Amino acid sequence: MEQSGTSTRLAGAVQDLTSELVSALRSGDRFRLAGTVAKGLGPAATGDPSLAAVRVVGADVVLPSVLLRCAPPDADDLTVFSRAVHAYPPPAEAPPTSVWSHWAMRRALLRLDASLDGAPDDDSEPEAAWLDDAPWQFLTHQLAVLAPLALPGEDCAVARVARRRPVDVARGFVRAVRRRDWLQAAGAGRWLVLLDEVPPTLGLDTGLEFVAQMGGTDARVELQVEAAQLMRTGVLV
C-alpha cells in the first residue's frame, strides 16, 4: 500500500512538473525549475517525490531553454537539475533507455553550465546496439521513451538510428495512434518532425493535432506534442 501511495505521489509530481513545462513552452516565459520545486513539489526529502519527478522528466526539464529564445536556466535551477542527475544514477542492470536518459541529462547539464559544481566532465555516449536491428514496433517504443533526445541538431547514436529508419518510425506512429497509445504516438511524432524522407502520406501535422486532442489530459503527451510543433514550425533558438 505504501509503495502504491509513493507511486501515486510521483505520478502526480511528474504531471505537475510537466504541466509547468508545457505552460512555459506555450507562453514563451522562462521556466524556473527551482521555483516550481519550491512552490509546488517541495524540497527533496524522505517520501517527497520532487527530485524523482525531475529524473523521470529527464532532460526535458530544460526544454524551454533549449527550444525557445530565452536565457539559460539560472544557477539555482541548474543546481536542482544537477541534484537529480546525481541522485538517480542508473544501476548496473538498468535497461538501455534508462542509461540513455541519464546520459541525456548529464549532457544537457554539461552543455548548459560545465562550470557547475558536480557537473559531469564528459558526455561519452552509451552504446546503442540494441536498436540496430530492432523490429519497427520495438524501435518506436524505445524512441518514444527517449523523446528528450529528439532535438534539432542532436547527434548521438540513438538519433542516427532514427534517421536511418524514418519509414519504420512513421509506421510506429500510426500503430500507436490506432492503439490509442497517445504518449508513444506523441514521442514518435517528436522524432518524425526531425527526420528526412518521412512519407508525405502520413499527414504528420494532422496526426499531431489529433494526438494532442485525444491525449491532452496527460501533460506528458502535451509536452511531446508542443515540442514537436515548435520544432515543426521552426520557432527555435
Side-chain angles (χ1 to χ4, degrees), residues 27-229:
S27 67
D29 295 336
R30 293 190 63 185
F31 173 70
R32 293 302 316 279
L33 178 60
T36 300
V37 169
K39 71 183 181 182
L41 303 178
T46 302
D48 186 347
S50 62
L51 212 60
V54 174
R55 176 62 186 90
V56 171
V57 175
D60 274 348
V61 297
V62 294
L63 193 60
S65 293
V66 174
L67 291 187
L68 302 179
R69 302 178 187 277
C70 60
D74 288 342
D76 54 350
D77 296 327
L78 289 174
T79 297
V80 173
F81 189 31
S82 178
R83 287 170 60 204
V85 169
H86 291 89
Y88 298 100
E93 69 279 8
T97 49
S98 180
V99 175
W100 270 95
S101 176
H102 189 256
W103 173 84
M105 292 182 73
R106 293 176 67 249
R107 187 175 193 179
L109 182 62
L110 181 63
R111 286 176 169 178
L112 289 167
D113 191 349
S115 67
L116 184 69
D117 182 37
D121 57 5
D122 69 79
D123 63 348
S124 301
E125 290 186 11
E127 60 85 21
W130 98 101
L131 287 179
D132 286 342
D133 299 311
W136 60 269
Q137 300 94 327
F138 180 74
L139 173 71
T140 303
H141 173 264
Q142 299 290 278
L143 290 178
V145 173
L146 294 174
L149 288 169
L151 295 169
E154 180 64 71
D155 184 30
C156 66
V158 171
R160 290 190 290 273
V161 170
R163 287 197 292 268
R164 292 197 300 268
R165 301 179 64 178
V167 175
D168 284 342
V169 181
R171 292 173 70 189
F173 174 80
V174 172
R175 178 175 181 267
V177 170
R178 288 176 175 171
R179 293 165 62 93
R180 304 178 70 85
D181 187 340
W182 308 122
L183 184 57
Q184 184 173 146
R190 177 168 164 178
W191 280 103
L192 285 167
V193 302
L194 298 175
L195 303 183
D196 296 326
E197 300 182 14
V198 174
T201 54
L202 179 65
L204 183 56
D205 291 329
T206 301
L208 285 170
E209 291 175 0
F210 181 72
V211 170
Q213 179 181 1
M214 299 301 294
T217 57
D218 186 338
R220 299 171 303 164
V221 173
E222 290 185 296
L223 179 64
Q224 299 309 323
V225 172
E226 193 69 25
Q229 291 175 331

